[in-house]
Amino acid sequence: MTSLASKLAPESIKKLIPYQSARRIGGSGRLWLNANELEHGVHYSDHAVDYNRYPDFLPHDIAAAYQQYCQTDNPTVAVRGADEAIDLLIRTFCQPGTDKIIISSPTYAMYEFCADAFAVETIDVPLIGANFSLNSEQIIARAPEAKIIFLCSPNNPTGNLLSRTDIVAILEGTQQDALVVVDEAYIEFELAETVVGLINKYPNLVVIRTLSKAFGLAAVRCGFILAAQDVMDYILKLIPPYPMPDCSAQIVQEALSEKGIEMAMSNTQNVVDTKQHFIAAIQNIEWIELIYPSSTNFVLIRTHQDATLFNYLKEHGVVTRNQHHEPALRNCVRITIGSPESMQEVAELINQYTISPL
Ligand SMILES: Cc1ncc(COP(=O)(O)O)c(C=O)c1O
């Protein structure tokens, strides 16, 4: 029986022979003169580290450390951030000009952006209700038209976790039709809710992760894709020859050590505590209509329509994200949770803000 992955992968990808980089070809020898590298490292600073050799073609140590962190033995690959994962998945399974993806707006803009850039059409099945739930019935109904369904849980910019029951219903209902990619960029803020454990049961599930959020390594550019082997086989055909710079890989190894994970988890708890204090400090303001429940390191605030919170904060040097352009998020501002000091300052500013009478 053909797997879903081989049903979905375009012929051009099936025929593709992965680029044979020098590291991928490997070999044994004494003098390595096969990759047009400099044979000796050049030290541009006092840090005496050699970077003259190309890195591992698939950084296995990092993948193994991440599998251990996720308590899974599902195939795992490190990429340069979750954004690269999104792009790679679309380019692996979609054919430009023909194929479609499904998203549920309002959600992370990169799914549609990467699809647009690759001439792949986006079908939007918007989140429904005041708590931004998945419209699972409609997603399942439209799945035969699509190659990939992107679900973001917890969702950016709404901050809510998607219902596990809905995700499972979608996985069940689309097994013959589409890959379901669950972007868990913020999952450390609700770690028990991860769907990684469902990959064995649902081979159409792909999970995207990142070290940019709870692990605090946005500048290092490291994300992960976890998927069933037949899905991963196609992804690995297209993955760039050297997906992770050595200097990033070294930092990631440390972050994924026992001590590193402990630090990230304790820091995550601090962010959650700061978020609760921040919410408590602003929740009784009458021009704030709603502070949405947040399973992330940000809060989404809906204000009275006359309040221009985004501009007010900007005038005071506080840069937040205006979500007003999204029809479902009129008068909404997304505020990242910073340090306790920063959030106290922002809470004080917000408390000082008064809407001028009309
Ligand atoms: C939902 C979601 N996915 C992916 C990303 C991108 O993460 P990375 O820094 O790993 O590319 C972000 C960044 O804001 C995000 O919010």
Side-chain angles (χ1 to χ4, degrees):
M1 208 182 80
T2 33
S3 70
L4 177 68
S6 34
K7 185 179 138 189
L8 296 178
E11 279 311 308
S12 54
I13 299 292
K14 285 190 186 148
K15 279 196 270 177
L16 199 64
I17 297 164
Y19 173 69
Q20 297 300 300
S21 65
R23 266 321 148 268
R24 197 162 190 151
I25 294 168
S28 60
R30 212 165 39 78
L31 299 178
W32 290 88
L33 305 174
N34 60 338
N36 300 345
E37 305 145 327
L38 278 193
E39 197 168 6
H40 299 290
V42 183
H43 299 157
Y44 294 102
S45 73
D46 296 339
H47 312 295
V49 180
D50 288 346
Y51 288 119
N52 54 311
R53 296 294 187 186
Y54 280 104
D56 193 351
F57 83 96
L58 283 179
H60 293 97
D61 295 353
I62 294 175
Y66 202 73
Q67 282 174 315
Q68 196 177 352
Y69 163 61
C70 293
Q71 299 173 350
T72 181
D73 49 17
N74 288 121
T76 301
V77 70
V79 288
R80 288 166 301 210
D83 281 344
E84 184 173 63
I86 295 163
D87 192 48
L88 189 56
L89 283 160
I90 291 177
R91 286 189 299 110
T92 303
F93 290 100
C94 298
Q95 212 169 341
T98 313
D99 290 333
K100 299 176 186 169
I101 63 159
I102 294 178
I103 63 160
S104 285
S105 74
T107 193
Y108 187 48
M110 282 299 279
Y111 314 131
E112 187 167 4
F113 174 83
C114 292
D116 282 351
F118 200 51
V120 165
E121 199 183 309
T122 298
I123 301 171
D124 185 12
V125 180
L127 296 170
I128 45 175
N131 53 0
F132 298 113
S133 303
L134 285 168
N135 186 344
S136 46
E137 266 178 38
Q138 192 59 24
I139 290 176
I140 295 167
R142 305 231 32 200
E145 295 171 58
K147 287 279 184 80
I148 305 179
I149 300 162
F150 282 98
L151 307 179
C152 187
S153 184
N155 188 40
N156 177 12
T158 57
N160 59 305
L161 196 71
L162 300 178
S163 132
R164 196 180 187 82
T165 314
D166 287 343
I167 296 176
V168 170
I170 291 168
L171 286 166
E172 286 277 351
T174 62
Q175 284 184 79
Q176 310 303 321
D177 300 315
L179 291 178
V180 178
V181 175
V182 180
D183 180 346
E184 292 192 336
Y186 298 93
I187 200 65
E188 276 78 15
F189 297 94
E190 290 278 2
L191 201 50
E193 299 295 330
T194 177
V195 295
V196 164
L198 298 177
I199 295 174
N200 283 336
K201 185 162 181 202
Y202 299 105
N204 58 329
L205 171 62
V206 177
V207 177
I208 293 179
R209 292 283 196 89
T210 180
L211 299 188
S212 294
K213 308 298 176 184
F215 278 84
L217 292 179
V220 166
R221 307 307 301 135
C222 180
F224 293 91
I225 304 175
L226 297 96
Q229 190 62 57
D230 58 345
V231 176
M232 194 60 93
D233 287 344
Y234 287 109
I235 295 169
L236 293 185
K237 282 188 168 219
L238 212 59
I239 199 163
Y242 302 110
M244 182 67 41
D246 259 358
C247 40
S248 290
Q250 282 147 13
I251 296 165
V252 170
Q253 269 300 353
E254 286 163 22
L256 294 177
S257 67
E258 208 175 309
K259 182 167 161 254
I261 291 170
E262 241 173 63
M263 286 170 72
M265 295 305 125
S266 133
N267 194 43
T268 299
Q269 190 52 52
N270 292 341
V271 173
V272 171
D273 293 345
T274 306
K275 180 172 68 177
Q276 304 312 353
H277 280 114
F278 177 64
I279 291 171
I282 60 166
Q283 66 187 353
N284 293 324
I285 294 173
E286 58 62 39
W287 53 263
I288 292 184
E289 237 175 71
L290 190 55
I291 303 167
Y292 287 92
S294 163
S295 295
T296 62
N297 64 342
F298 59 82
V299 284
L300 184 70
I301 300 175
R302 192 188 289 273
T303 64
H304 190 278
Q305 62 173 354
D306 299 327
T308 51
L309 179 60
F310 173 79
N311 290 335
Y312 166 76
L313 291 175
K314 195 167 119 191
E315 281 158 20
H316 288 80
V318 179
V319 186
T320 61
R321 196 74 169 239
N322 196 353
Q323 300 293 335
H324 185 72
H325 59 277
E326 286 266 7
L329 300 181
R330 290 279 180 255
N331 309 308
C332 285
V333 176
R334 194 193 71 187
I335 303 182
T336 305
I337 301 301
S339 66
E341 299 74 36
S342 297
M343 298 325 286
Q344 191 179 335
E345 189 186 328
V346 175
E348 279 165 16
L349 275 173
I350 291 178
N351 273 284
Q352 284 157 18
Y353 178 57
T354 44
I355 309 177
S356 36
L358 286 174

